[in-house]
Amino acid sequence: MTEQNTKTITPKANRATLRGRPELYTDYARDQALLNTASKKLWTGVLVAVTLMLPFLLGRDLLGLLTLVFIYAIGGIGLNLVTGYAGQVSLGHAFFVGLGAYTSMFFGGAPSMTLRGLELDMLIWLPMAGIVPMLVGLLVAPLAARVRGLYLAILTLGLVFVGEHLFREARTITGGPQVGRRGAIPEVLGFNFYENQEILGFDLRREQIFYFLCFGLLIVLGVLARNLARSRMGRAFAAVRDRDIAAEVMGVPLLRTKVIAFGVSSFYAGIAGGLLPVAVGAINPERFNLLFSVEFLAIILIGGVATISGSIIGAAFIVLLPRLVQVAAPYLPLIGDVVSVEIAQRMLFGALIVVFLVLEPRGIYGMWLRMRNYWKAWPFSY
Amino acid sequence: MELLIATIVRGVGIGSTYALIAVGFVIIYRATDVVNFAQPALVILGAYFNALFVFNYGLPFPLAVVGSMAAMALIGALTERVALRPMVGQPPFSAAMVTVGLFFALYVLAARLIGANVITMGDPWGLSRVDFLGTTVGQVDIAKTIISLAAIAVVGVFLQRSKLGLAMRATALDQEVALAQGVNVGRMFGVSWAMSGALAALAGVMIGTAGGGMVALDAFVALKALPVIILGGLDSIKGSVVAGIFIGVAEALTRTYQPGNADFLGANFDVVVPYLIMVIALMVRPYGLYGTKEVQRV
């Protein structure tokens, strides 16, 4: 051993060494920490604080949109785990989101003449909304693990069509086509998260309360996913993605890794599915179609493949884009008179996927990295 | 028995149009290793051009078909040049996602052009029927089968016999080696897309000749060519034909016999039959009936 390595650095000395050298890591744990630099700590704190303040500043519709961003982000993180980290392209994400939605409605929804519902507590239906899709994901995964690449993409695409048919036909649970059903009741031990409440003397609107709930869930699930990604299992995911045969040679169990990736991803999808109908009010079985799957793929492609924060950025982008186009439409030529706003939104959606894949495959997160590295080294180019 | 024959004839008719679309997929996949998810949008655009030529410019039906095939060949080649050429060397998944993006852009365009209308093709068959094996079947189904299979045969002969076809097959086999032998690989990509676009246009016309005409949403009918290529194997034209007809017949049989015999499967169950067949096929043969097994290197 060299002399340097034998020297142990005491925490005190460590702090002294670190001063003015934010990128000097003296142990592995610190290097791998979630918030490994002071500026990351600061800005994450600022971001969380701003997000927590937004409900008191924004109107009801914008708040609803932001809540949707959180829900889409949870689903997007799920897809990113299986597609971004483990490299298994799935076009079937909408199916798992739908399965979560209808599981939540079955366990937590109110029964009626035509609909079945158990009216259970959210402490039961929300985990169930994740667990049932996860079990189905675990069932499907061994089959999916047999095929690779584009065959897998098309196989999972089949899942969406089969799922759509199931959702349409299971009328007693889903309400049937064009009718749909309201979301489950988000009530935890008598406290309803979607009802105007008075908390600590504050009068809170139901949108605000639900916003906080979704934000909290996103943070918990996001940190969990991030931790999974930097654990042994996460490294196995990356190995399978980068070269699956080499991974197998190195002792990574291929089938087990793929199955776990699908299971965890479906769990996230299911949670997003459980929350989605509550946020949008009521939902039709037609919603869980191929387009919905592609939206999730767009989230991770535009946000950033194999990054958790990228999934959140992508979700914000995809959910807010239609609104942005709507707001900007009066100031833009063509939109409004030649092409309608709705068509412009959809064309932009398709075009953005193409543009990002061609020009910036790492997505918005990659753009941010480039910008950060540029300013970090400024005025030097490297 | 008569019902069975009529059903099978209808199934073969629709199956051969699936095969037509699938061959378009296969040509592009073999040349460029890309699954072209934009194909369904090309299909309805082709049908739109045909209707445009027949009703707005008064061309006779056969000329209009050729015209729309030429137009779609042009659009196909153009699409390849603009959107897919920059993706050469990128992972196949990225290129496939580009075609998904293209699908939305082109689909929205087609939906905008067609609007809420039902377009018809102005075909000579209409609803007339002919005698076939002791029962009457729609003339249009026979016409679909013959025209589609003839078109696929022409493509097959072209690939086997012509110099250009040889160059295309060389490109499919190994792009770099083909390049070294003096094949203009980029042009082969363009030709593949053009052929695929023309086939898509023909398939669109064939789908549109059905009694009810065609709406923009029929693009999702064309998506059924995906189970077909998976069942047949991504790189096999023969597989496309066999699987296309198989899936078409299975679908038609389900549509005829499932209501009344297996009602618990729900209404419109025939729509998901192709996908179920695909899932089962993948369980048994991960590379389809005639697909080439992928060779893996570490």
Side-chain angles (χ1 to χ4, degrees), chain A residues 143 146 148 165 245 291 338, chain B residues 104 108 112 265 267 283 296:
Chain A
L143 170 63
R146 277 176 63 88
R148 304 176 57 246
H165 178 75
I245 292 185
L291 178 67
V338 180
Chain B
F104 282 106
V108 168
R112 166 84 183 160
L265 291 170
M283 265 191 278
Q296 280 286 307

Side-chain angles (χ1 to χ4, degrees), chain A residues 83 89 91 143 146-148 150-151 153-155 157-158 161-162 165 169 243-246 249 290-291 294 297 301 337-340 343 346-347 349-351 353-354 357-358 361, chain B residues 29 33 35 37 86-87 93-94 96-98 100-102 104-105 107-108 112 223 226 230 233-234 265-269 272 275-276 278-279 282-284 286-287 294 296-298:
Chain A
T83 300
V89 178
L91 278 171
L143 170 63
R146 277 176 63 88
V147 291
R148 304 176 57 246
L150 293 166
Y151 279 94
I154 300 174
L155 175 76
L157 181 125
F161 284 95
V162 176
H165 178 75
E169 289 307 315
R243 187 64 81 177
D244 52 354
I245 292 185
V249 170
L290 184 59
L291 178 67
V294 174
L297 269 181
L301 288 175
D337 19 289
V338 180
V339 285
S340 75
I343 288 175
R346 284 220 233 146
M347 285 198 108
F349 174 72
I353 297 180
V354 177
L357 276 169
V358 174
Chain B
Y29 180 76
D33 282 332
V35 170
F37 286 100
M87 300 307 291
F93 167 66
S94 304
M97 277 312 292
V98 167
V100 172
L102 272 176
F104 282 106
Y107 173 70
V108 168
R112 166 84 183 160
L223 266 186
L226 285 173
I230 290 294
L234 269 180
L265 291 170
N268 293 328
F269 183 69
V272 294
Y275 297 99
L276 285 178
M278 172 183 79
V279 170
L282 279 180
M283 265 191 278
V284 185
Y287 296 98
E294 207 175 334
Q296 280 286 307
R297 273 196 319 189
V298 178

Side-chain angles (χ1 to χ4, degrees), chain A residues 191-206:
Chain A
F191 181 86
N192 192 331
F193 279 97
Y194 208 66
E195 218 170 57
N196 300 341
Q197 302 262 10
E198 196 192 314
I199 301 167
L200 306 171
F202 288 106
D203 277 327
L204 289 179
R205 280 181 283 122
R206 58 181 194 175

Side-chain angles (χ1 to χ4, degrees), chain A residues 164-230:
Chain A
E164 221 186 320
H165 178 75
L166 284 178
F167 295 152
R168 238 186 251 150
E169 289 307 315
R171 276 161 219 266
T172 52
I173 295 173
T174 66
Q178 269 119 43
V179 183
R181 185 175 183 179
R182 298 188 61 79
I185 308 149
E187 202 169 74
V188 176
L189 307 172
F191 181 86
N192 192 331
F193 279 97
Y194 208 66
E195 218 170 57
N196 300 341
Q197 302 262 10
E198 196 192 314
I199 301 167
L200 306 171
F202 288 106
D203 277 327
L204 289 179
R205 280 181 283 122
R206 58 181 194 175
E207 286 84 6
Q208 291 169 325
I209 302 175
F210 194 62
Y211 173 96
F212 287 123
L213 174 72
C214 290
F215 183 54
L217 281 170
L218 172 63
I219 290 198
V220 171
L221 290 171
V223 170
L224 277 178
R226 183 73 206 276
N227 277 338
L228 178 76
R230 63 197 184 117

Side-chain angles (χ1 to χ4, degrees), chain A residues 30-374:
Chain A
R30 205 177 290 273
D31 184 36
Q32 285 295 301
L34 286 183
L35 302 169
N36 53 2
T37 60
S39 56
K40 261 191 206 169
K41 270 182 206 151
L42 173 69
W43 288 110
T44 311
V46 170
L47 196 63
V48 170
V50 169
T51 318
L52 286 177
M53 272 168 38
L54 281 178
F56 305 102
L57 306 172
L58 295 177
R60 187 176 295 181
D61 57 335
L62 275 180
L63 209 56
L65 270 184
L66 280 182
T67 313
L68 264 189
V69 168
F70 299 150
I71 296 170
Y72 273 63
I74 294 174
I77 290 173
L79 185 64
N80 222 337
L81 283 173
V82 73
T83 300
Y85 285 97
Q88 307 300 307
V89 178
S90 168
L91 278 171
H93 213 58
F95 166 68
F96 293 110
V97 176
L99 206 59
Y102 291 121
T103 310
S104 77
M105 287 174 185
F106 177 71
F107 285 104
S112 74
M113 296 282 282
T114 51
L115 295 172
R116 265 189 280 179
L118 301 178
E119 275 191 298
L120 293 173
D121 198 275
M122 193 179 185
L123 286 179
I124 297 172
W125 71 248
L126 191 62
M128 285 312 281
I131 289 168
V132 170
M134 184 174 83
L135 293 178
V136 174
L138 292 178
L139 270 178
V140 175
L143 170 63
R146 277 176 63 88
V147 291
R148 304 176 57 246
L150 293 166
Y151 279 94
L152 178 62
I154 300 174
L155 175 76
T156 48
L157 181 125
L159 213 57
V160 176
F161 284 95
V162 176
E164 221 186 320
H165 178 75
L166 284 178
F167 295 152
R168 238 186 251 150
E169 289 307 315
R171 276 161 219 266
T172 52
I173 295 173
T174 66
Q178 269 119 43
V179 183
R181 185 175 183 179
R182 298 188 61 79
I185 308 149
E187 202 169 74
V188 176
L189 307 172
F191 181 86
N192 192 331
F193 279 97
Y194 208 66
E195 218 170 57
N196 300 341
Q197 302 262 10
E198 196 192 314
I199 301 167
L200 306 171
F202 288 106
D203 277 327
L204 289 179
R205 280 181 283 122
R206 58 181 194 175
E207 286 84 6
Q208 291 169 325
I209 302 175
F210 194 62
Y211 173 96
F212 287 123
L213 174 72
C214 290
F215 183 54
L217 281 170
L218 172 63
I219 290 198
V220 171
L221 290 171
V223 170
L224 277 178
R226 183 73 206 276
N227 277 338
L228 178 76
R230 63 197 184 117
S231 69
R232 179 193 171 91
M233 189 45 73
R235 290 191 295 275
F237 283 180
V240 169
R241 172 193 61 202
D242 290 341
R243 187 64 81 177
D244 52 354
I245 292 185
E248 202 173 17
V249 170
M250 290 193 306
V252 174
L254 216 50
L255 179 67
R256 209 184 71 179
T257 311
K258 286 182 182 177
V259 167
I260 289 176
F262 266 102
V264 177
S265 150
S266 311
F267 180 85
Y268 276 76
I271 297 284
L275 297 171
L276 182 67
V278 183
V280 298
I283 211 157
N284 287 348
E286 290 92 344
R287 169 107 182 210
F288 305 105
N289 57 10
L290 184 59
L291 178 67
F292 198 48
S293 275
V294 174
E295 268 183 339
F296 277 110
L297 269 181
I299 284 176
I300 66 168
L301 288 175
I302 292 177
V305 173
T307 57
I308 300 297
S309 23
S311 320
I312 302 172
I313 301 171
F317 195 81
I318 290 294
V319 175
L320 299 179
L321 179 71
R323 182 57 179 265
L324 222 61
V325 174
Q326 208 178 1
V327 172
Y331 308 105
L332 296 173
L334 297 179
I335 297 176
D337 19 289
V338 180
V339 285
S340 75
V341 174
E342 197 192 335
I343 288 175
Q345 287 165 356
R346 284 220 233 146
M347 285 198 108
L348 202 59
F349 174 72
L352 274 172
I353 297 180
V354 177
V355 166
F356 267 96
L357 276 169
V358 174
L359 298 180
E360 180 54 277
R362 284 191 303 173
I364 297 178
Y365 188 77
M367 280 160 76
W368 153 247
L369 279 187
R370 269 209 307 218
M371 203 165 69
R372 193 185 69 185
N373 290 343
Y374 177 79

